[in-house]
Amino acid sequence: MEKRWVISPEAPAEIVQQLTDELKISSTLASILCQRGICTFSEAKHFFRPSLQDLHDPFLMKDMDLAVNRLNEALHRNEKILVYGDYDVDGTTSVALMYGFLRNYTSNIDFYIPDRYREGYGVSSQGIEWAAEHSFSLIISLDCGIKSADKVALASEKGIDFIICDHHLPDEDIPKAVAVLDPKQINCPYPYKELSGCGVGFKLLQAFCMQNDIEQEEVYKLLDLLVVSIAADIVPITGENRILAYFGLQHLNSPQPMRPGLEALRELADIRNEMDITSIVFGFAPRINAAGRMGDAKNSVRMLLAQTKEEAFKMADIINESNKARRDKDSNITKEALQMIAQDDFLRTANSTVLFKETWHKGVIGIVASRCIEHYYRPTIILTQSNGKASGSARSVHGFNVHNAIESCSDLLEQFGGHMYAAGLTLPVENVQAFRERFEEVVASTITEDQKIPQIEIDAPLNLKQITRNFYNIVRQMEPFGPGNMRPVFVSECVYDTGSVRVVGDSHLKLRLTQDGFTSIDAIGFGLSDYYDRISKGIPFDVCYTIEENIYRGVITLQLRIKDIRIK
């Protein structure tokens, strides 16, 4: 699939020169820092040397004082507290963080995660009924609740108070809870708006510790769970999130024993090198998510809370089996979906993809939507039947707001929610065809030609001779990488293979590149074997890539991970 290369504009020369001189780094790296909003020595110091002292005062968050007071009251009165969370990674890590901490102060506590299929997303009526039946008087909801005004009202009728810890965009109708903690509320003065749901729960515990003269070190012990939520929920790794992720990764990579549940995941995912955001996203997140997709999300919480290795591995094995089942479903449904597109003249050339089959597994349709976009790059919705309704997940392409497009079809829907690049929706089965036609009309009239082509964002041009160990060490200090602070992508023009190009595995290229006759460097291009014939003939080409370390038989070398190739 053709990709559009978009090179970031150069930063102002004066600022770049000043950063170059003050930081004693290359002008290329100074320009990249400036592009990311780091334009002064002071900003660079905070960026390269994160400090927990730079975390914001949790009491700046609207309703934080009310939340802490109500929590203290519940603990002093020995009330029954229910920790309620969503079934994805952010939700389950949030529950493990809150429940695991508070059980040190009360035994009158339990946790609840709704069933993905019977109850759906967020706070459910069944959950409220269960809490009432078991005499809970306070619910702390995490990663959900901001859109549950009716459920909070139901709880209130039953004598149950709510503290909401959420990070999603609120509706106009804010739930009438004892306290609503969500930095995205219009009238919330909290300086950083991009916390994960687990991050909001962390700020509540920070405030609780401050109010009760408990050392902050006690809550910092939970940063291993918090970094998992930050990585898996794809929130920006900027500002406060970057500090929390930095120290969370330090926690995971310290010589001290890892939390048993995370250690079990690390072994199952066969992660042998230092943990980073990528290894969490691809090693931890799918397994934790699989419990809620294919079975019981409470198993993820039990694993994260396990206090012995034996208990942790027992739960991790159950979760890993769920992940294997998820992979099988995902693979089979993706093949079926792609066949449906290929065999339909309209779908092959449409501006959008909307597919429905009543027997598809609800737990994997979001993944299938993403897989379809890898083959047909356009806004995609995959629907299945659930509780007599068509229920689906939407995924989008760069720059296109799929939530707004779905909203334009809202008269055909029963409910929907989400954000620019991902959303969920429910509609009557009989409306599926009308929705497909309307959604296609909306997308066709609003999507631009550029948005139909996947793009690679490139930070800067680079000559291969500039890639030194010192250069790479500074790039590494820009970690942790993720949304808002992605691993730098470079472009080098008119490079050649030195004659060592070969295909490895099914479709990968292994090369050794040189430019202008200078020093050569190893490179790997996954899924790029189609370029083998032309490159092997000595034809020059342009390449865009990231720089990484390759460890082979104990020897560490630098190599390029190629993202795309353009033959001259």
Side-chain angles (χ1 to χ4, degrees), residues 262-295:
L262 297 181
E263 178 61 35
L265 282 182
R266 182 174 183 153
E267 289 197 23
L268 286 170
D270 195 27
I271 299 169
R272 302 178 188 181
N273 299 328
E274 193 172 86
M275 295 288 302
D276 60 11
I277 295 297
T278 301
S279 54
I280 293 172
V281 169
F282 292 102
F284 284 10
R287 289 170 171 82
I288 297 173
N289 261 329
R293 291 184 188 280
M294 309 302 295

PDB file of all heavy atoms in Angstrom, residues 262-295:
ATOM      1  N   LEU A 262       2.635  -9.335  36.906  1.00  0.00           N
ATOM      2  CA  LEU A 262       3.338  -8.775  35.752  1.00  0.00           C
ATOM      3  C   LEU A 262       4.539  -9.637  35.373  1.00  0.00           C
ATOM      4  O   LEU A 262       4.875  -9.765  34.192  1.00  0.00           O
ATOM      5  CB  LEU A 262       3.768  -7.334  36.042  1.00  0.00           C
ATOM      6  CG  LEU A 262       2.620  -6.337  36.280  1.00  0.00           C
ATOM      7  CD1 LEU A 262       3.161  -4.935  36.535  1.00  0.00           C
ATOM      8  CD2 LEU A 262       1.641  -6.315  35.099  1.00  0.00           C
ATOM      9  N   GLU A 263       5.186 -10.233  36.367  1.00  0.00           N
ATOM     10  CA  GLU A 263       6.286 -11.158  36.088  1.00  0.00           C
ATOM     11  C   GLU A 263       5.782 -12.359  35.289  1.00  0.00           C
ATOM     12  O   GLU A 263       6.430 -12.817  34.340  1.00  0.00           O
ATOM     13  CB  GLU A 263       6.929 -11.634  37.398  1.00  0.00           C
ATOM     14  CG  GLU A 263       8.053 -12.639  37.230  1.00  0.00           C
ATOM     15  CD  GLU A 263       9.222 -12.089  36.432  1.00  0.00           C
ATOM     16  OE1 GLU A 263       9.538 -10.887  36.549  1.00  0.00           O
ATOM     17  OE2 GLU A 263       9.822 -12.880  35.671  1.00  0.00           O
ATOM     18  N   ALA A 264       4.599 -12.858  35.653  1.00  0.00           N
ATOM     19  CA  ALA A 264       4.009 -13.982  34.918  1.00  0.00           C
ATOM     20  C   ALA A 264       3.719 -13.583  33.472  1.00  0.00           C
ATOM     21  O   ALA A 264       4.001 -14.345  32.535  1.00  0.00           O
ATOM     22  CB  ALA A 264       2.727 -14.438  35.616  1.00  0.00           C
ATOM     23  N   LEU A 265       3.187 -12.383  33.278  1.00  0.00           N
ATOM     24  CA  LEU A 265       2.921 -11.898  31.922  1.00  0.00           C
ATOM     25  C   LEU A 265       4.216 -11.758  31.130  1.00  0.00           C
ATOM     26  O   LEU A 265       4.270 -12.089  29.943  1.00  0.00           O
ATOM     27  CB  LEU A 265       2.213 -10.543  31.969  1.00  0.00           C
ATOM     28  CG  LEU A 265       0.725 -10.527  32.290  1.00  0.00           C
ATOM     29  CD1 LEU A 265       0.205  -9.097  32.244  1.00  0.00           C
ATOM     30  CD2 LEU A 265      -0.059 -11.399  31.327  1.00  0.00           C
ATOM     31  N   ARG A 266       5.247 -11.265  31.792  1.00  0.00           N
ATOM     32  CA  ARG A 266       6.532 -11.083  31.101  1.00  0.00           C
ATOM     33  C   ARG A 266       7.069 -12.416  30.595  1.00  0.00           C
ATOM     34  O   ARG A 266       7.568 -12.510  29.471  1.00  0.00           O
ATOM     35  CB  ARG A 266       7.533 -10.419  32.048  1.00  0.00           C
ATOM     36  CG  ARG A 266       8.883 -10.155  31.398  1.00  0.00           C
ATOM     37  CD  ARG A 266       9.793  -9.366  32.300  1.00  0.00           C
ATOM     38  NE  ARG A 266      11.051  -9.062  31.634  1.00  0.00           N
ATOM     39  CZ  ARG A 266      11.814  -8.034  31.894  1.00  0.00           C
ATOM     40  NH1 ARG A 266      11.451  -7.183  32.831  1.00  0.00           N
ATOM     41  NH2 ARG A 266      12.928  -7.833  31.252  1.00  0.00           N
ATOM     42  N   GLU A 267       6.953 -13.439  31.411  1.00  0.00           N
ATOM     43  CA  GLU A 267       7.441 -14.752  30.996  1.00  0.00           C
ATOM     44  C   GLU A 267       6.594 -15.318  29.860  1.00  0.00           C
ATOM     45  O   GLU A 267       7.116 -15.870  28.890  1.00  0.00           O
ATOM     46  CB  GLU A 267       7.481 -15.711  32.184  1.00  0.00           C
ATOM     47  CG  GLU A 267       8.579 -15.390  33.178  1.00  0.00           C
ATOM     48  CD  GLU A 267       8.889 -16.554  34.112  1.00  0.00           C
ATOM     49  OE1 GLU A 267       8.598 -17.719  33.758  1.00  0.00           O
ATOM     50  OE2 GLU A 267       9.421 -16.291  35.205  1.00  0.00           O
ATOM     51  N   LEU A 268       5.271 -15.186  29.962  1.00  0.00           N
ATOM     52  CA  LEU A 268       4.388 -15.702  28.915  1.00  0.00           C
ATOM     53  C   LEU A 268       4.608 -14.975  27.589  1.00  0.00           C
ATOM     54  O   LEU A 268       4.507 -15.575  26.520  1.00  0.00           O
ATOM     55  CB  LEU A 268       2.927 -15.570  29.339  1.00  0.00           C
ATOM     56  CG  LEU A 268       2.455 -16.561  30.414  1.00  0.00           C
ATOM     57  CD1 LEU A 268       1.074 -16.176  30.909  1.00  0.00           C
ATOM     58  CD2 LEU A 268       2.447 -17.987  29.865  1.00  0.00           C
ATOM     59  N   ALA A 269       4.893 -13.673  27.663  1.00  0.00           N
ATOM     60  CA  ALA A 269       5.133 -12.884  26.448  1.00  0.00           C
ATOM     61  C   ALA A 269       6.577 -13.025  25.953  1.00  0.00           C
ATOM     62  O   ALA A 269       6.921 -12.487  24.897  1.00  0.00           O
ATOM     63  CB  ALA A 269       4.813 -11.415  26.705  1.00  0.00           C
ATOM     64  N   ASP A 270       7.409 -13.729  26.729  1.00  0.00           N
ATOM     65  CA  ASP A 270       8.812 -13.972  26.377  1.00  0.00           C
ATOM     66  C   ASP A 270       9.561 -12.654  26.135  1.00  0.00           C
ATOM     67  O   ASP A 270      10.297 -12.494  25.155  1.00  0.00           O
ATOM     68  CB  ASP A 270       8.906 -14.868  25.131  1.00  0.00           C
ATOM     69  CG  ASP A 270      10.316 -15.447  24.958  1.00  0.00           C
ATOM     70  OD1 ASP A 270      11.025 -15.596  25.974  1.00  0.00           O
ATOM     71  OD2 ASP A 270      10.702 -15.747  23.805  1.00  0.00           O
ATOM     72  N   ILE A 271       9.367 -11.706  27.062  1.00  0.00           N
ATOM     73  CA  ILE A 271      10.070 -10.418  26.980  1.00  0.00           C
ATOM     74  C   ILE A 271      11.377 -10.557  27.747  1.00  0.00           C
ATOM     75  O   ILE A 271      11.379 -10.686  28.963  1.00  0.00           O
ATOM     76  CB  ILE A 271       9.205  -9.280  27.575  1.00  0.00           C
ATOM     77  CG1 ILE A 271       7.894  -9.154  26.794  1.00  0.00           C
ATOM     78  CG2 ILE A 271       9.977  -7.961  27.553  1.00  0.00           C
ATOM     79  CD1 ILE A 271       6.872  -8.246  27.447  1.00  0.00           C
ATOM     80  N   ARG A 272      12.478 -10.520  27.008  1.00  0.00           N
ATOM     81  CA  ARG A 272      13.786 -10.765  27.631  1.00  0.00           C
ATOM     82  C   ARG A 272      14.594  -9.491  27.828  1.00  0.00           C
ATOM     83  O   ARG A 272      15.495  -9.446  28.655  1.00  0.00           O
ATOM     84  CB  ARG A 272      14.585 -11.750  26.768  1.00  0.00           C
ATOM     85  CG  ARG A 272      13.856 -13.076  26.580  1.00  0.00           C
ATOM     86  CD  ARG A 272      14.626 -14.027  25.695  1.00  0.00           C
ATOM     87  NE  ARG A 272      13.834 -15.213  25.387  1.00  0.00           N
ATOM     88  CZ  ARG A 272      14.273 -16.224  24.652  1.00  0.00           C
ATOM     89  NH1 ARG A 272      15.500 -16.191  24.140  1.00  0.00           N
ATOM     90  NH2 ARG A 272      13.485 -17.260  24.407  1.00  0.00           N
ATOM     91  N   ASN A 273      14.297  -8.486  27.025  1.00  0.00           N
ATOM     92  CA  ASN A 273      15.045  -7.236  27.143  1.00  0.00           C
ATOM     93  C   ASN A 273      14.344  -6.293  28.120  1.00  0.00           C
ATOM     94  O   ASN A 273      13.311  -6.628  28.706  1.00  0.00           O
ATOM     95  CB  ASN A 273      15.175  -6.582  25.769  1.00  0.00           C
ATOM     96  CG  ASN A 273      15.922  -7.471  24.792  1.00  0.00           C
ATOM     97  OD1 ASN A 273      16.807  -8.228  25.182  1.00  0.00           O
ATOM     98  ND2 ASN A 273      15.552  -7.403  23.526  1.00  0.00           N
ATOM     99  N   GLU A 274      14.900  -5.113  28.261  1.00  0.00           N
ATOM    100  CA  GLU A 274      14.322  -4.118  29.156  1.00  0.00           C
ATOM    101  C   GLU A 274      12.906  -3.764  28.717  1.00  0.00           C
ATOM    102  O   GLU A 274      12.627  -3.620  27.528  1.00  0.00           O
ATOM    103  CB  GLU A 274      15.211  -2.867  29.143  1.00  0.00           C
ATOM    104  CG  GLU A 274      14.917  -1.879  30.230  1.00  0.00           C
ATOM    105  CD  GLU A 274      15.963  -0.766  30.284  1.00  0.00           C
ATOM    106  OE1 GLU A 274      15.789   0.221  29.546  1.00  0.00           O
ATOM    107  OE2 GLU A 274      16.943  -0.893  31.046  1.00  0.00           O
ATOM    108  N   MET A 275      12.000  -3.645  29.687  1.00  0.00           N
ATOM    109  CA  MET A 275      10.611  -3.291  29.380  1.00  0.00           C
ATOM    110  C   MET A 275      10.533  -1.848  28.876  1.00  0.00           C
ATOM    111  O   MET A 275      11.193  -0.955  29.393  1.00  0.00           O
ATOM    112  CB  MET A 275       9.736  -3.412  30.632  1.00  0.00           C
ATOM    113  CG  MET A 275       9.580  -4.817  31.185  1.00  0.00           C
ATOM    114  SD  MET A 275       8.539  -5.864  30.172  1.00  0.00           S
ATOM    115  CE  MET A 275       7.005  -4.954  30.148  1.00  0.00           C
ATOM    116  N   ASP A 276       9.708  -1.627  27.846  1.00  0.00           N
ATOM    117  CA  ASP A 276       9.406  -0.272  27.397  1.00  0.00           C
ATOM    118  C   ASP A 276       7.919  -0.206  27.039  1.00  0.00           C
ATOM    119  O   ASP A 276       7.180  -1.176  27.229  1.00  0.00           O
ATOM    120  CB  ASP A 276      10.303   0.153  26.221  1.00  0.00           C
ATOM    121  CG  ASP A 276      10.154  -0.766  24.997  1.00  0.00           C
ATOM    122  OD1 ASP A 276       9.218  -1.600  24.974  1.00  0.00           O
ATOM    123  OD2 ASP A 276      10.976  -0.653  24.077  1.00  0.00           O
ATOM    124  N   ILE A 277       7.482   0.939  26.534  1.00  0.00           N
ATOM    125  CA  ILE A 277       6.058   1.101  26.211  1.00  0.00           C
ATOM    126  C   ILE A 277       5.622   0.075  25.172  1.00  0.00           C
ATOM    127  O   ILE A 277       4.545  -0.524  25.273  1.00  0.00           O
ATOM    128  CB  ILE A 277       5.785   2.534  25.697  1.00  0.00           C
ATOM    129  CG1 ILE A 277       6.057   3.574  26.806  1.00  0.00           C
ATOM    130  CG2 ILE A 277       4.350   2.663  25.192  1.00  0.00           C
ATOM    131  CD1 ILE A 277       5.172   3.456  28.021  1.00  0.00           C
ATOM    132  N   THR A 278       6.472  -0.177  24.182  1.00  0.00           N
ATOM    133  CA  THR A 278       6.123  -1.124  23.118  1.00  0.00           C
ATOM    134  C   THR A 278       5.926  -2.526  23.649  1.00  0.00           C
ATOM    135  O   THR A 278       4.980  -3.225  23.267  1.00  0.00           O
ATOM    136  CB  THR A 278       7.220  -1.123  22.030  1.00  0.00           C
ATOM    137  OG1 THR A 278       7.334   0.196  21.494  1.00  0.00           O
ATOM    138  CG2 THR A 278       6.893  -2.086  20.908  1.00  0.00           C
ATOM    139  N   SER A 279       6.799  -2.962  24.559  1.00  0.00           N
ATOM    140  CA  SER A 279       6.653  -4.326  25.082  1.00  0.00           C
ATOM    141  C   SER A 279       5.390  -4.462  25.930  1.00  0.00           C
ATOM    142  O   SER A 279       4.775  -5.531  25.974  1.00  0.00           O
ATOM    143  CB  SER A 279       7.893  -4.742  25.879  1.00  0.00           C
ATOM    144  OG  SER A 279       8.210  -3.824  26.891  1.00  0.00           O
ATOM    145  N   ILE A 280       4.968  -3.380  26.585  1.00  0.00           N
ATOM    146  CA  ILE A 280       3.697  -3.412  27.319  1.00  0.00           C
ATOM    147  C   ILE A 280       2.524  -3.506  26.342  1.00  0.00           C
ATOM    148  O   ILE A 280       1.612  -4.319  26.506  1.00  0.00           O
ATOM    149  CB  ILE A 280       3.540  -2.164  28.213  1.00  0.00           C
ATOM    150  CG1 ILE A 280       4.581  -2.173  29.341  1.00  0.00           C
ATOM    151  CG2 ILE A 280       2.138  -2.104  28.814  1.00  0.00           C
ATOM    152  CD1 ILE A 280       4.623  -0.897  30.159  1.00  0.00           C
ATOM    153  N   VAL A 281       2.575  -2.673  25.286  1.00  0.00           N
ATOM    154  CA  VAL A 281       1.478  -2.627  24.315  1.00  0.00           C
ATOM    155  C   VAL A 281       1.292  -3.978  23.629  1.00  0.00           C
ATOM    156  O   VAL A 281       0.163  -4.444  23.447  1.00  0.00           O
ATOM    157  CB  VAL A 281       1.717  -1.511  23.273  1.00  0.00           C
ATOM    158  CG1 VAL A 281       0.740  -1.627  22.112  1.00  0.00           C
ATOM    159  CG2 VAL A 281       1.591  -0.141  23.932  1.00  0.00           C
ATOM    160  N   PHE A 282       2.399  -4.622  23.250  1.00  0.00           N
ATOM    161  CA  PHE A 282       2.288  -5.867  22.482  1.00  0.00           C
ATOM    162  C   PHE A 282       2.430  -7.132  23.334  1.00  0.00           C
ATOM    163  O   PHE A 282       1.988  -8.198  22.917  1.00  0.00           O
ATOM    164  CB  PHE A 282       3.323  -5.880  21.357  1.00  0.00           C
ATOM    165  CG  PHE A 282       3.042  -4.853  20.293  1.00  0.00           C
ATOM    166  CD1 PHE A 282       3.758  -3.670  20.244  1.00  0.00           C
ATOM    167  CD2 PHE A 282       2.038  -5.070  19.366  1.00  0.00           C
ATOM    168  CE1 PHE A 282       3.485  -2.713  19.270  1.00  0.00           C
ATOM    169  CE2 PHE A 282       1.755  -4.115  18.393  1.00  0.00           C
ATOM    170  CZ  PHE A 282       2.477  -2.935  18.340  1.00  0.00           C
ATOM    171  N   GLY A 283       3.028  -7.007  24.513  1.00  0.00           N
ATOM    172  CA  GLY A 283       3.235  -8.182  25.352  1.00  0.00           C
ATOM    173  C   GLY A 283       2.208  -8.323  26.462  1.00  0.00           C
ATOM    174  O   GLY A 283       1.661  -9.404  26.678  1.00  0.00           O
ATOM    175  N   PHE A 284       1.942  -7.221  27.172  1.00  0.00           N
ATOM    176  CA  PHE A 284       1.024  -7.263  28.315  1.00  0.00           C
ATOM    177  C   PHE A 284      -0.429  -7.020  27.913  1.00  0.00           C
ATOM    178  O   PHE A 284      -1.335  -7.759  28.293  1.00  0.00           O
ATOM    179  CB  PHE A 284       1.419  -6.208  29.353  1.00  0.00           C
ATOM    180  CG  PHE A 284       2.623  -6.561  30.189  1.00  0.00           C
ATOM    181  CD1 PHE A 284       3.428  -7.648  29.889  1.00  0.00           C
ATOM    182  CD2 PHE A 284       2.951  -5.790  31.296  1.00  0.00           C
ATOM    183  CE1 PHE A 284       4.534  -7.963  30.657  1.00  0.00           C
ATOM    184  CE2 PHE A 284       4.060  -6.094  32.081  1.00  0.00           C
ATOM    185  CZ  PHE A 284       4.849  -7.181  31.761  1.00  0.00           C
ATOM    186  N   ALA A 285      -0.659  -5.938  27.160  1.00  0.00           N
ATOM    187  CA  ALA A 285      -2.027  -5.466  26.919  1.00  0.00           C
ATOM    188  C   ALA A 285      -2.943  -6.501  26.270  1.00  0.00           C
ATOM    189  O   ALA A 285      -4.073  -6.695  26.737  1.00  0.00           O
ATOM    190  CB  ALA A 285      -1.997  -4.174  26.093  1.00  0.00           C
ATOM    191  N   PRO A 286      -2.516  -7.200  25.202  1.00  0.00           N
ATOM    192  CA  PRO A 286      -3.448  -8.156  24.581  1.00  0.00           C
ATOM    193  C   PRO A 286      -3.877  -9.265  25.532  1.00  0.00           C
ATOM    194  O   PRO A 286      -5.025  -9.713  25.485  1.00  0.00           O
ATOM    195  CB  PRO A 286      -2.637  -8.726  23.398  1.00  0.00           C
ATOM    196  CG  PRO A 286      -1.572  -7.719  23.131  1.00  0.00           C
ATOM    197  CD  PRO A 286      -1.247  -7.121  24.460  1.00  0.00           C
ATOM    198  N   ARG A 287      -2.971  -9.690  26.400  1.00  0.00           N
ATOM    199  CA  ARG A 287      -3.302 -10.763  27.335  1.00  0.00           C
ATOM    200  C   ARG A 287      -4.270 -10.280  28.413  1.00  0.00           C
ATOM    201  O   ARG A 287      -5.227 -10.967  28.760  1.00  0.00           O
ATOM    202  CB  ARG A 287      -2.015 -11.330  27.941  1.00  0.00           C
ATOM    203  CG  ARG A 287      -1.213 -12.135  26.929  1.00  0.00           C
ATOM    204  CD  ARG A 287       0.178 -12.505  27.419  1.00  0.00           C
ATOM    205  NE  ARG A 287       0.802 -13.443  26.495  1.00  0.00           N
ATOM    206  CZ  ARG A 287       1.416 -13.084  25.362  1.00  0.00           C
ATOM    207  NH1 ARG A 287       1.491 -11.797  25.029  1.00  0.00           N
ATOM    208  NH2 ARG A 287       1.935 -13.992  24.558  1.00  0.00           N
ATOM    209  N   ILE A 288      -3.997  -9.098  28.963  1.00  0.00           N
ATOM    210  CA  ILE A 288      -4.907  -8.559  29.981  1.00  0.00           C
ATOM    211  C   ILE A 288      -6.288  -8.311  29.368  1.00  0.00           C
ATOM    212  O   ILE A 288      -7.319  -8.641  29.956  1.00  0.00           O
ATOM    213  CB  ILE A 288      -4.339  -7.263  30.591  1.00  0.00           C
ATOM    214  CG1 ILE A 288      -3.009  -7.535  31.314  1.00  0.00           C
ATOM    215  CG2 ILE A 288      -5.341  -6.641  31.570  1.00  0.00           C
ATOM    216  CD1 ILE A 288      -2.304  -6.281  31.799  1.00  0.00           C
ATOM    217  N   ASN A 289      -6.300  -7.753  28.156  1.00  0.00           N
ATOM    218  CA  ASN A 289      -7.570  -7.477  27.481  1.00  0.00           C
ATOM    219  C   ASN A 289      -8.341  -8.742  27.154  1.00  0.00           C
ATOM    220  O   ASN A 289      -9.571  -8.760  27.167  1.00  0.00           O
ATOM    221  CB  ASN A 289      -7.319  -6.709  26.176  1.00  0.00           C
ATOM    222  CG  ASN A 289      -7.535  -5.214  26.334  1.00  0.00           C
ATOM    223  OD1 ASN A 289      -8.355  -4.778  27.136  1.00  0.00           O
ATOM    224  ND2 ASN A 289      -6.808  -4.434  25.564  1.00  0.00           N
ATOM    225  N   ALA A 290      -7.599  -9.813  26.839  1.00  0.00           N
ATOM    226  CA  ALA A 290      -8.243 -11.048  26.385  1.00  0.00           C
ATOM    227  C   ALA A 290      -9.183 -11.625  27.433  1.00  0.00           C
ATOM    228  O   ALA A 290     -10.197 -12.242  27.095  1.00  0.00           O
ATOM    229  CB  ALA A 290      -7.188 -12.085  26.001  1.00  0.00           C
ATOM    230  N   ALA A 291      -8.874 -11.424  28.707  1.00  0.00           N
ATOM    231  CA  ALA A 291      -9.736 -11.957  29.764  1.00  0.00           C
ATOM    232  C   ALA A 291     -11.140 -11.399  29.635  1.00  0.00           C
ATOM    233  O   ALA A 291     -12.134 -12.133  29.734  1.00  0.00           O
ATOM    234  CB  ALA A 291      -9.147 -11.627  31.137  1.00  0.00           C
ATOM    235  N   GLY A 292     -11.251 -10.082  29.390  1.00  0.00           N
ATOM    236  CA  GLY A 292     -12.568  -9.466  29.235  1.00  0.00           C
ATOM    237  C   GLY A 292     -13.201  -9.744  27.891  1.00  0.00           C
ATOM    238  O   GLY A 292     -14.427  -9.783  27.764  1.00  0.00           O
ATOM    239  N   ARG A 293     -12.377  -9.936  26.852  1.00  0.00           N
ATOM    240  CA  ARG A 293     -12.916 -10.199  25.519  1.00  0.00           C
ATOM    241  C   ARG A 293     -13.513 -11.599  25.412  1.00  0.00           C
ATOM    242  O   ARG A 293     -14.520 -11.824  24.761  1.00  0.00           O
ATOM    243  CB  ARG A 293     -11.814 -10.066  24.457  1.00  0.00           C
ATOM    244  CG  ARG A 293     -11.308  -8.661  24.248  1.00  0.00           C
ATOM    245  CD  ARG A 293     -10.294  -8.628  23.104  1.00  0.00           C
ATOM    246  NE  ARG A 293      -9.638  -7.344  22.994  1.00  0.00           N
ATOM    247  CZ  ARG A 293     -10.161  -6.272  22.412  1.00  0.00           C
ATOM    248  NH1 ARG A 293     -11.370  -6.355  21.878  1.00  0.00           N
ATOM    249  NH2 ARG A 293      -9.499  -5.133  22.355  1.00  0.00           N
ATOM    250  N   MET A 294     -12.839 -12.579  26.035  1.00  0.00           N
ATOM    251  CA  MET A 294     -13.200 -13.978  25.825  1.00  0.00           C
ATOM    252  C   MET A 294     -13.787 -14.649  27.066  1.00  0.00           C
ATOM    253  O   MET A 294     -14.307 -15.758  26.973  1.00  0.00           O
ATOM    254  CB  MET A 294     -11.966 -14.779  25.382  1.00  0.00           C
ATOM    255  CG  MET A 294     -11.198 -14.172  24.224  1.00  0.00           C
ATOM    256  SD  MET A 294     -12.187 -13.930  22.739  1.00  0.00           S
ATOM    257  CE  MET A 294     -12.576 -15.614  22.308  1.00  0.00           C
ATOM    258  N   GLY A 295     -13.665 -14.014  28.224  1.00  0.00           N
ATOM    259  CA  GLY A 295     -14.124 -14.670  29.450  1.00  0.00           C
ATOM    260  C   GLY A 295     -14.461 -13.672  30.532  1.00  0.00           C
ATOM    261  O   GLY A 295     -15.269 -12.776  30.345  1.00  0.00           O
TER     262      GLY A 295
END
